[in-house]
Amino acid sequence: MKQSQLFTKTRKEAPSDETSKNAQLLIKAGFINKELAGVYSYLPLGLRVIQKIKNIVNDEMNKLGSSEILMSTIQGKEIWEITNRWDDKQVDVWFKSQLKSGNEIGFGWSHEEPITNMMKGHINSYNDLPRFVHQFQNKLRNEVRAKSGIMRCREFIMKDMYSYCATEKEHMDFYNKTTEAYLNVYRKVGLGDITFVTSASGGVFTDKFSHEFQTICDAGEDIIYVSNDNKVALNEEIFNDETVAKMGYKKEDFEAKKAAEVGNIFTFGTKKCEELGLFFHDKGGVKQPVYLGSYGIGVTRLVGVLAEVFSDDRGLVWPKEVSPFHVHLVRLGVNEKTVEFADKLYLDLQKAGVEVLYDDRDLRPGEKFADSDLIGIPVRFVVSDKTVEQNMVEVKHRTKADAELLRVEDAISALK
Ligand code: ATP
Ligand code: MG
């Protein structure tokens, strides 16, 4: 993409009411736009990061055998009344509205009820199980606090997956496979070393336990306890003598850390399917309830966590796998030869399958470099009158202080 065609402008200052580092950086670099507190739009660069994360997540979900769907945001209240989750006293994040007819509707903060209800038309016998579905969907939640930038929003993208299984064993096997798939996701986006499977209580609606995926991060809203051997992590709410003893540890073996919940997996057992009337006929023709699991990843929260973790005083520092582009090609000077050289390099890089942001604007070098650092693409290629004279390109990594002069072929092959 040519930067001259990118409509977004970088800015020196974030809005004064924006206190979180992730949103400040992402706004300054032109990745997002703030609409309201806790409500953000995604601009070309931000959307590319989201696409990268989605692709990584989608691959892992497909490998688990899940099919992608897209449920509606508007939901009827009746199914939620059946499970006692319509009442604002039970679920305090509902956004609700009314149809012209006066009928109440809700905006999806989660989808267990509508998906399970829909599945009644597709699951009847043991032959129809197991079934796994997932979606990337804008969830709406009327959050009380929205001070963590895009890490806690009133509208945000979640990947939610749901599993329908015939037996407890099938259900738990899938739950455990999903845990591994989630760890793959966090590793691939660059957060593997600091993301922990964290045991937590199941909350009021689910079975006895749940697992959170918590990334160590100062801007996180949670406290987790990580064992000194890095093998066990516990959510604050279940960190007590009894639980740690069960796991063969003492409380002193743990350290408290601030963390952001980037994913959460729950088992509902057979309770929700029983409530909503999702049953199957087993081999003997006997009617049995279905096991439900629910698995969320905060896609846009992940973007925020990445911005928090991978940034410095000059701006964002994207890991390659989630960077909006692989290479930032920066042209300095407007000499005909230089422009020609840079234009050709832009094409050659694309031919080699490299995603390039090409700064073809006629601005001062200082401005271009400041923008480039702020946007944070991992590799920068600089083409100037001087480098063209030598038939070279200057290559600089965002995380390194020094640049090196390379021949174009060497610079391109070094990317692989
Ligand atoms: P939290 O504990 O942070 O309020 P939750 O437990 O209510 O989140 P889930 O319903 O399990 O969240 O949603 C799945 C994932 O969606 C979470 O693990 C988190 O990464 C993300 N998420 C939840 N709420 C928000 C929000 N308000 N803004 C952005 N992402 C969110
Ligand atoms: Mg949670």
Side-chain angles (χ1 to χ4, degrees):
M1 175 180 223
K2 288 187 175 170
Q3 216 164 331
S4 59
Q5 292 167 350
L6 184 66
F7 73 86
T8 53
K9 288 203 170 113
T10 57
R11 45 194 276 186
K12 292 243 154 46
E13 303 291 339
S16 55
D17 65 340
E18 186 58 76
T19 52
S20 84
K21 179 167 98 176
N22 65 82
Q24 283 178 348
L25 279 168
L26 292 163
I27 290 171
K28 285 202 285 184
F31 283 61
I32 62 172
N33 189 61
K34 183 171 189 167
E35 306 297 338
L36 303 166
V39 183
Y40 298 87
S41 298
Y42 290 84
L43 308 181
L45 296 174
L47 188 57
R48 287 183 73 99
V49 176
I50 288 183
Q51 288 303 354
K52 296 273 167 91
I53 296 174
K54 275 190 183 178
N55 289 343
I56 290 170
V57 175
N58 206 33
D59 279 354
E60 288 294 331
M61 299 305 106
N62 286 338
K63 269 193 245 163
L64 288 169
S66 178
S67 316
E68 188 177 353
I69 60 170
L70 183 57
M71 297 292 285
S72 66
T73 296
I74 296 180
Q75 302 180 341
K77 79 167 171 179
E78 291 72 20
I79 38 171
W80 291 94
E81 277 177 339
I82 294 172
T83 57
N84 196 24
R85 295 213 288 180
W86 177 254
D87 194 333
D88 293 332
K89 288 191 206 80
Q90 302 297 327
V91 173
D92 60 1
V93 292
W94 270 119
F95 276 112
K96 294 175 180 173
S97 186
Q98 271 187 358
L99 300 179
K100 298 267 190 227
S101 63
N103 285 350
E104 274 188 294
I105 51 141
F107 298 110
W109 60 277
S110 182
H111 279 78
E112 284 95 6
E113 273 74 352
I115 288 202
T116 301
N117 191 49
M118 185 259 293
M119 281 299 185
K120 289 191 323 202
H122 303 278
I123 295 171
N124 300 305
S125 104
Y126 66 93
N127 275 320
D128 303 326
L129 293 171
R131 288 288 183 261
F132 316 115
V133 292
H134 70 280
Q135 61 175 347
F136 295 90
Q137 212 262 351
N138 274 31
K139 297 284 183 271
L140 300 186
R141 293 186 181 184
N142 203 345
E143 301 275 0
V144 182
R145 291 168 302 141
K147 290 193 184 120
S148 303
I150 63 166
M151 290 168 62
R152 181 169 299 283
C153 289
R154 300 197 163 100
E155 178 172 355
F156 61 95
I157 302 176
M158 190 200 286
K159 183 286 302 176
D160 41 331
M161 178 170 68
Y162 303 87
S163 66
Y164 295 89
C165 292
T167 63
E168 184 166 17
K169 180 175 185 312
E170 190 172 73
H171 173 64
M172 286 317 298
D173 283 351
F174 186 77
Y175 187 94
N176 293 331
K177 263 168 71 184
T178 302
T179 306
E180 292 306 314
Y182 270 41
L183 290 174
N184 290 341
V185 166
Y186 302 118
R187 192 171 36 74
K188 286 183 187 169
V189 301
L191 295 169
D193 294 345
I194 52 169
T195 301
F196 293 89
V197 184
T198 306
S199 301
S201 80
V204 271
F205 302 119
T206 57
D207 260 14
K208 291 170 272 312
F209 64 92
S210 74
H211 289 98
E212 297 168 347
F213 294 79
Q214 294 274 6
T215 304
I216 306 300
C217 170
D218 282 338
E221 294 177 3
D222 295 352
I223 302 281
I224 62 164
Y225 288 82
V226 182
S227 64
N228 297 332
D229 59 9
N230 267 350
K231 285 189 179 145
V232 175
L234 299 172
N235 182 300
E236 188 172 35
E237 67 200 15
I238 66 162
F239 183 66
N240 53 46
D241 291 317
E242 196 196 329
T243 317
V244 298
K246 248 191 245 160
M247 300 181 130
Y249 290 88
K250 295 190 295 291
K251 261 182 156 179
E252 307 82 84
D253 302 332
F254 289 80
E255 201 182 319
K257 299 191 193 256
K258 284 186 92 176
E261 185 196 300
V262 290
N264 204 176
I265 61 177
F266 300 93
T267 166
F268 283 87
T270 56
K271 184 162 176 271
K272 190 160 299 286
C273 293
E274 282 175 70
E275 287 171 345
L276 289 165
L278 176 58
F279 294 92
F280 73 100
H281 294 277
D282 67 15
K283 281 187 180 152
V286 180
K287 201 168 136 185
Q288 305 280 3
V290 175
Y291 284 83
L292 170 66
S294 173
Y295 314 83
I297 289 183
V299 174
T300 44
R301 181 176 289 180
L302 258 181
V303 179
V305 172
L306 287 163
E308 292 278 341
V309 173
F310 298 109
S311 51
D312 60 19
D313 53 354
R314 285 176 290 134
L316 298 154
V317 187
W318 296 104
K320 180 175 176 241
E321 288 68 20
V322 291
S323 176
F325 291 93
H326 299 138
V327 170
H328 201 171
L329 171 59
V330 177
R331 191 197 76 213
L332 305 179
V334 290
N335 260 346
E336 203 181 316
K337 243 175 101 182
T338 308
V339 173
E340 220 172 84
F341 188 98
D343 283 356
K344 180 166 183 305
L345 181 52
Y346 176 51
L347 294 177
D348 287 346
L349 280 165
Q350 291 177 87
K351 272 188 217 144
V354 179
E355 297 171 13
V356 201
L357 179 64
Y358 175 21
D359 190 350
D360 57 337
R361 303 170 303 168
D362 297 333
L363 295 176
R364 288 185 298 108
E367 268 179 88
K368 291 194 162 204
F369 290 145
D371 275 1
S372 176
D373 281 340
L374 182 57
I375 292 170
I377 296 165
V379 183
R380 181 196 296 167
F381 282 9
V382 179
V383 170
S384 66
D385 299 349
K386 212 173 73 201
T387 67
V388 171
E389 213 52 60
Q390 298 167 277
N391 202 25
M392 302 276 233
V393 53
E394 192 188 273
V395 178
K396 186 186 168 300
H397 292 261
R398 179 64 178 80
T399 50
K400 291 187 191 147
D402 302 321
E404 55 177 345
L405 265 182
L406 291 178
R407 294 189 356 209
V408 168
E409 310 83 78
D410 296 339
I412 295 180
S413 58
L415 292 171
K416 295 195 172 115

